[in-house]
Amino acid sequence: PHSDWQSANRVEMVAEHLEFLGSHVRLSLSHRDFRPAVVVAQSSQEVVRALQIVPGKPVEVSLPSERLRIYVEKTKGAGASHV
């Protein structure tokens, strides 16, 4: 039997980008229904290697509500010029 954190809020996402940070890896994950938003997760290098996670690979993730943190990226306001 799965514990609540293993079965709750499971979704298949795609690994878009991996950033190696010493012993950890920051993963940018996307889902076709969430675009352009991404989920940023951190995992150990051992788990990333064991699951053979590479950009473009589907990854099943669990998003337990008690462990989620939502951050809104600040964007430039209307009329801002981009150089």
Side-chain angles (χ1 to χ4, degrees), residues 16-68:
E16 296 291 340
H17 179 76
L18 284 71
E19 181 179 1
F20 294 89
L21 305 167
S23 63
H24 288 85
V25 179
R26 183 175 297 144
L27 304 156
S28 295
L29 306 167
S30 69
H31 187 279
R32 67 183 173 277
D33 294 340
F34 303 156
R35 288 192 178 123
V38 296
V39 171
V40 178
Q42 189 165 307
S43 183
S44 70
Q45 282 194 22
E46 292 81 20
V47 169
V48 171
R49 272 191 235 115
L51 296 176
Q52 300 177 346
I53 298 173
V54 295
K57 181 177 181 175
V59 179
E60 188 172 324
V61 297
S62 177
L63 303 169
S65 60
E66 69 276 4
R67 300 185 85 189
L68 289 177

Side-chain angles (χ1 to χ4, degrees), residues 37-38 40 68-76:
V38 296
V40 178
L68 289 177
R69 302 292 181 267
I70 308 282
Y71 299 96
V72 178
E73 182 177 66
K74 292 183 181 180
T75 58
K76 296 184 180 194

